[in-house]
Amino acid sequence: MLRRLNRLDAGEGQYAEVSPFYFYPLEPEDYLEFACSHSGYGQYPLMAFVYLTHRCWDNCKGCFVSKIYSPAAQLSWDVVARLITDLAQGGVRAVKFAGRESTVSPILGRALRLCHELGMKSVLITAGANIAEHAESIAEYCTHLRLSLNTTDPDLHDRLHRPGPRALRYEQRVACLRSIISMRAHRQVVNGATFLVRPETIDDAVPFAHLCRELGFHYVRYTLLDEIEGEWKKRWPSVRMALLALDSEVFQVWMNDLAVVPPGAQWRDLPEALLDPALATRVTIHADGNVAACQEGWRGAWHEKDLAIYGNLNHQSFGEIWAGDRRRRFLSVLHKAFAAGYDSIPGCERCKYRSLNEVLRWMYWKRIVCGSTISAVFAQSEECYERSTADGYS
């Protein structure tokens, strides 16, 4: 397994840094197995991001979904049931249910249960605005719960999340989570949290980790937002080291601010269908039914409107869309753009998928081109991690 921090030797004097959160909720072996068995563009992805609704009872600061879509959009149960069944039959391993706020969707509980019955992992990403409504389903069927509270201060929480009159208050969300985690204790499940590091939250980063550990969470992921500049950004390294000191076998601290060095020339030997492993292994489905490549794609950052939207589930099945002409055309355009460099793709030069792509390409190249066994690939990463730690790298 890759550890919390890894420095991977990419050859030609280049190194890549990686967090296990890149693979969550799957394992690195799942991605390597996918690469070895990949037979072309028609193969289903490993994971699907499903936005059940664009409705929310919060109005969080910086929410990108609220700025893009109509808040009324919501997937029906008929569409979601057909989708989940199709994904399971096609070999998809995990479904991530997101929002805008997934707990506002009336069908969340049924969706979690269907994933459970069909043998797929389910990830619930929520700020907890309506979490009490689905507490029993989350406790019984959800395999990975990820919460975004972002503070231990109720007043600061209200300033950041700006909850409406129907939303649970901060203390209610924490109390409900405590109950849900207790109910989930008998199952082999994962409980985690996300913390967005802003100027107004940086002082709460360490207390938040202590709260999550006390609640029974298994990890906290910290994401450093672009708005942190000046003295705030200078303070982050010391806060980061204090957080990493809390990391243990039972409570992990993950960072989402790790850089990845561009790949070496040898990675170009990969099969064409794996030049973009992030888009081969993942798909995004929105509350209006659109099946899209990624966030930047459906934000319209491409030169051609709707280029990165493969189709709509209200008119076609997922299988028809995934193997359809629109997706093939998008991937063809994307591969030409990647060949010209990331800067030629609007949004891609800073996208988190760039980091995932480069890590996966390194893994795939080691496995497919070099013939390394899975254990050898990760044994090398462990060795690099231990050596870099000894050299003072952190």
Side-chain angles (χ1 to χ4, degrees):
M1 285 289 295
L2 293 175
R3 296 175 63 173
R4 170 174 52 81
L5 289 174
N6 259 316
R7 192 181 188 190
L8 308 181
D9 187 350
E12 298 185 358
Q14 300 185 81
Y15 292 88
E17 301 173 16
V18 61
S19 161
F21 204 83
Y22 281 130
F23 310 104
Y24 165 93
L26 304 176
E27 302 292 340
E29 289 86 347
D30 293 317
Y31 289 88
L32 286 173
E33 179 186 332
F34 180 91
C36 295
S37 64
H38 203 288
S39 57
Y41 291 132
Q43 182 169 330
Y44 273 30
L46 285 172
M47 181 162 44
F49 294 77
V50 179
Y51 289 67
L52 291 174
T53 180
H54 293 150
R55 299 177 181 179
C56 188
W57 292 347
D58 286 345
N59 187 27
C60 295
K61 178 182 177 182
C63 176
F64 60 86
V65 179
S66 64
K67 298 176 182 178
I68 300 170
Y69 282 116
S70 164
Q74 188 160 274
L75 290 173
S76 70
W77 172 244
D78 287 345
V79 169
V80 171
R82 288 197 303 270
L83 169 65
I84 293 175
T85 302
D86 196 349
L87 295 177
Q89 291 174 346
V92 173
R93 306 283 185 87
V95 178
K96 285 189 177 182
F97 294 105
R100 200 170 174 203
E101 175 50 58
S102 48
T103 61
V104 172
S105 170
I107 65 172
L108 172 62
R110 285 193 283 177
L112 292 172
R113 179 171 183 170
L114 184 56
C115 285
H116 173 78
E117 292 173 347
L118 296 178
M120 287 191 295
K121 292 182 178 180
S122 60
V123 183
L124 173 60
I125 301 173
T126 176
N130 190 39
I131 196 169
E133 185 73 20
H134 306 282
E136 292 185 5
S137 296
I138 296 169
E140 187 65 27
Y141 303 118
C142 179
T143 57
H144 289 68
L145 170 62
R146 193 174 102 201
L147 176 78
S148 300
L149 282 178
N150 301 305
T151 181
T152 62
D153 183 335
D155 292 334
L156 179 57
H157 174 272
D158 285 355
R159 293 199 300 274
L160 293 174
H161 289 252
R162 295 182 283 200
R166 300 178 67 187
L168 294 178
R169 312 314 292 180
Y170 177 84
E171 293 87 350
Q172 293 173 310
R173 300 186 197 199
V174 172
C176 187
L177 280 164
R178 197 181 298 274
S179 174
I180 290 174
I181 291 173
S182 176
M183 289 190 290
R184 287 162 61 86
H186 71 285
R187 301 177 56 219
Q188 296 296 316
V189 294
V190 176
N191 307 306
T194 298
F195 188 98
L196 300 179
V197 184
R198 294 186 171 100
E200 60 264 55
T201 65
I202 193 169
D203 289 331
D204 208 17
V206 174
F208 186 78
H210 285 288
L211 171 66
C212 290
R213 187 168 60 180
E214 185 268 326
L215 285 172
F217 283 100
H218 299 101
Y219 73 86
V220 179
R221 182 190 70 163
Y222 289 85
T223 298
L224 189 66
L225 296 186
D226 295 337
E227 62 192 77
I228 298 237
E229 295 294 343
E231 64 171 296
W232 299 102
K233 194 167 185 178
K234 292 178 182 177
R235 290 180 56 199
W236 172 241
S238 61
V239 174
R240 185 175 186 269
M241 293 308 297
L243 290 168
L244 294 179
L246 300 175
D247 186 83
S248 68
E249 292 297 322
V250 296
F251 180 76
Q252 297 185 356
V253 178
W254 293 352
M255 299 295 170
N256 199 33
D257 64 337
L258 302 181
V260 175
V261 179
Q266 73 271 24
W267 291 0
R268 298 172 187 165
D269 296 330
L270 286 173
E272 183 183 8
L274 291 177
L275 288 177
D276 237 324
L279 298 188
T281 57
R282 301 177 177 207
V283 65
T284 303
I285 296 153
H286 294 281
D288 57 3
N290 279 340
V291 179
C294 59
Q295 290 183 357
E296 291 300 334
W298 53 259
R299 284 189 196 185
W302 300 90
H303 296 304
E304 178 182 331
K305 180 177 171 56
D306 295 337
L307 175 65
I309 296 176
Y310 305 149
N312 190 285
L313 290 174
N314 293 308
H315 311 298
Q316 291 177 283
S317 70
F318 178 82
E320 292 171 333
I321 294 171
W322 191 251
D325 291 339
R326 292 181 61 170
R327 177 168 171 267
R328 287 176 175 272
R329 180 171 180 274
F330 169 75
L331 292 176
S332 175
V333 171
L334 188 67
H335 288 162
K336 291 177 182 177
F338 270 117
Y342 281 105
D343 291 341
S344 68
I345 309 173
C348 283
E349 71 277 4
R350 300 185 66 188
C351 179
K352 62 183 179 182
Y353 273 20
R354 177 181 182 180
S355 298
L356 176 65
N357 264 339
E358 290 166 355
V359 170
L360 290 177
R361 285 178 192 152
W362 178 84
M363 289 168 48
Y364 292 174
W365 180 78
K366 292 290 290 183
R367 181 66 181 91
I368 297 173
V369 179
C370 299
S372 301
T373 63
I374 291 178
S375 60
V377 169
F378 296 113
Q380 184 183 16
S381 69
E382 292 282 1
E383 179 184 353
C384 292
Y385 175 86
E386 297 296 342
R387 182 172 65 251
S388 61
T389 300
D391 293 341
Y393 178 89
S394 60

